[in-house]
Amino acid sequence: MPRILTGIQSSGRPHLGNILGAILPAIELSKDAKNECFYFIADLHSLTSLKNAEDRKEHTYATAAAWLALGLDTGSSIFYRQSMVSEVCELAWYLNCFTPYPMLANSHSFKDKSDKLSDVNAGLFTYPVLMAADIILYDANLVPVGKDQKQHLEITRDIATNFNREYGEVFIVPDALIDDKVMTIPGVDGKKMSKSYGNIIDIFLPEKKLRKQIMKIVTDSTPVEEPKNPDSCIVFQLYSVLANKDRIVSMREKYENGNYGYGQAKQELFELVLEKFETAREKFNFWMENKSDIDSQLIKGEKKAKEIASSKLSLVRKKLGY
Ligand code: ADP
Ligand code: TRP
């Protein structure tokens, strides 16, 4: 039975990129009874960037509510907060001592910020080690992630292999599961949609705010009357990942025929988001109004996760002579 594990940081509200790139594919995998799924909220990783406690708490609930609203079944999958299974921190320390400095100095999570070293904390530097601990603590075989996480999985594999070489087959060396069909969803500015770039579309916002976010999508200044190139337009790209074939063809024609403004395209995108996520939006609001129910869902998963984690950690401690 393959074990599948993935996490999403709670450094901000979950967005369309997280949903299409990570949450929905992971939920799909969990529907196959052959898979044993571990899905968690990486609230410890979020501390590398987000320091405000209230914000983290709120984003953690919103991330959990998103998984639940989009259909995660917590009866068959193990769903938990990373911070509630603190065994992961102990394992991360051990793994730190098996991680060569140059491997971390080379990782994108550090390199991207290394032009301003005063902004880099040690947690950010060792971010990939905590991520390796997240994965190998639970003997995960497969880790579904976006292309941006590929290097972190390679680091995980190296750390696990190094440890096993010295102490025997303690850890499973996991494989990344990267679906090339899942595109990187662009944000309203055209860069990768990300909590850290302030360019997200938050499908769970109230209608008015959601519409405002969609209306902010950057477009060029081609006049309304003129034909437009759909392939270079972010609005069209976002519409295409949500719409069915007929609708995509019809919007392409409107772009190419002219007399169709970007404002109209944005309005159609907005309506499509509302239509596609109508039920999920209702469920999200329900969960956010009943946070103690979210807690119950998570506590259930945390109990199971903790059992597995502490048994693995005992083995590691023994191997290390503690
Ligand atoms: P963020 O970049 O917003 O902080 P995370 O790093 O928490 O998001 O990513 C959680 C998951 O969502 C990862 O598997 C990641 O690959 C996926 N993901 C994040 N942004 C996008 C995007 N724009 N398009 C597709 N998948 C994404
Ligand atoms: N670093 C991942 C991201 O930003 C989140 C994450 C933390 C993760 N631990 C993980 C993903 C373990 C998969 C497995 O997307």
Side-chain angles (χ1 to χ4, degrees):
M1 197 183 222
R3 244 184 212 180
I4 298 185
L5 175 146
T6 199
I8 292 189
Q9 292 194 61
S10 51
S11 45
R13 299 256 300 179
H15 54 75
L16 191 60
N18 297 144
I19 291 166
L20 299 176
I23 301 180
L24 287 175
I27 291 177
E28 224 22 66
L29 285 168
S30 74
K31 289 182 183 158
D32 184 338
K34 283 197 297 296
N35 295 331
E36 194 182 3
C37 296
F38 289 64
Y39 297 145
F40 68 96
I41 302 163
D43 55 352
L44 293 173
H45 276 107
S46 77
L47 188 56
T48 61
S49 56
L50 175 70
K51 309 298 180 196
N52 184 290
E54 274 314 306
D55 287 349
R56 183 175 5 274
K57 211 174 207 169
E58 199 57 23
H59 296 331
T60 300
Y61 277 124
T63 308
W67 279 94
L68 296 167
L70 290 160
L72 180 69
D73 173 2
T74 58
S76 54
S77 297
I78 299 187
F79 184 47
Y80 57 101
R81 283 162 288 203
Q82 181 189 30
S83 62
M84 293 300 279
V85 192
S86 56
E87 281 78 356
V88 77
C89 296
E90 187 176 332
L91 179 60
W93 172 253
Y94 301 144
L95 299 182
N96 266 322
C97 302
F98 289 85
T99 307
Y101 173 89
M103 193 150 99
L104 295 181
N106 246 328
S107 91
H108 297 307
S109 44
F110 166 68
K111 259 182 149 172
D112 292 352
K113 307 250 165 75
S114 60
D115 51 336
K116 205 164 166 227
L117 279 177
S118 53
D119 283 353
V120 175
N121 57 68
L124 182 71
F125 187 67
T126 59
Y127 182 110
V129 184
L130 180 60
M131 180 157 162
D134 285 328
I135 298 168
I136 63 181
L137 181 59
Y138 297 100
D139 287 333
N141 307 99
L142 290 175
V143 184
V145 280
K147 291 184 198 99
D148 56 320
Q149 297 297 311
K150 193 168 172 224
Q151 189 194 31
H152 286 152
L153 260 295
E154 279 157 12
I155 295 176
T156 303
R157 290 172 58 85
D158 284 346
I159 294 176
T161 307
N162 288 346
F163 192 99
N164 285 351
R165 197 174 297 124
E166 287 201 40
Y167 296 97
E169 294 301 305
V170 177
F171 295 120
I172 293 201
V173 181
D175 286 304
L177 188 62
I178 297 173
D179 186 346
D180 288 323
K181 290 194 298 296
V182 175
M183 63 182 283
T184 299
I185 308 298
V188 297
D189 57 358
K191 281 202 295 185
K192 169 193 179 292
M193 189 179 292
S194 172
K195 281 169 270 206
S196 39
Y197 301 155
N199 64 355
I200 70 164
I201 292 178
D202 176 355
I203 64 149
F204 297 117
L205 281 178
E207 279 189 29
K208 236 179 156 172
K209 287 189 175 163
L210 174 59
R211 186 168 185 280
K212 213 167 153 192
Q213 237 173 27
I214 291 178
M215 290 294 161
K216 271 200 322 216
I217 298 174
V218 175
T219 50
D220 62 29
S221 51
T222 317
V224 179
E225 327 67 75
E226 277 182 34
K228 300 177 181 62
N229 178 5
D231 298 314
S232 61
C233 178
I234 310 162
V235 185
F236 184 76
Q237 277 176 44
L238 289 168
Y239 190 82
S240 304
V241 294
L242 295 173
N244 63 25
K245 258 201 190 128
D246 289 349
R247 282 177 160 186
I248 299 172
V249 170
S250 144
M251 188 180 271
R252 177 176 285 282
E253 276 172 8
K254 290 184 200 166
Y255 267 75
E256 289 171 348
N257 289 343
N259 282 323
Y260 181 68
Y262 290 121
Q264 286 163 283
K266 290 176 185 178
Q267 179 65 27
E268 282 193 50
L269 173 62
F270 167 64
E271 284 166 15
L272 181 62
V273 170
L274 287 185
E275 180 190 319
K276 276 248 152 269
F277 295 107
E278 185 186 1
T279 319
R281 283 167 53 82
E282 278 166 18
K283 289 187 179 166
F284 180 88
N285 290 337
F286 165 82
W287 287 109
M288 288 305 273
E289 280 155 21
N290 294 279
K291 292 200 174 99
S292 61
D293 291 340
I294 301 185
D295 285 329
S296 313
Q297 296 289 321
L298 288 163
I299 290 165
K300 190 167 71 175
E302 282 149 11
K303 265 196 199 139
K304 294 186 205 158
K306 206 164 175 78
E307 252 172 53
I308 298 167
S310 62
S311 138
K312 189 78 192 181
L313 194 61
S314 301
L315 172 67
V316 175
R317 291 173 65 98
K318 209 157 111 198
K319 291 281 181 187
L320 292 172
Y322 292 108

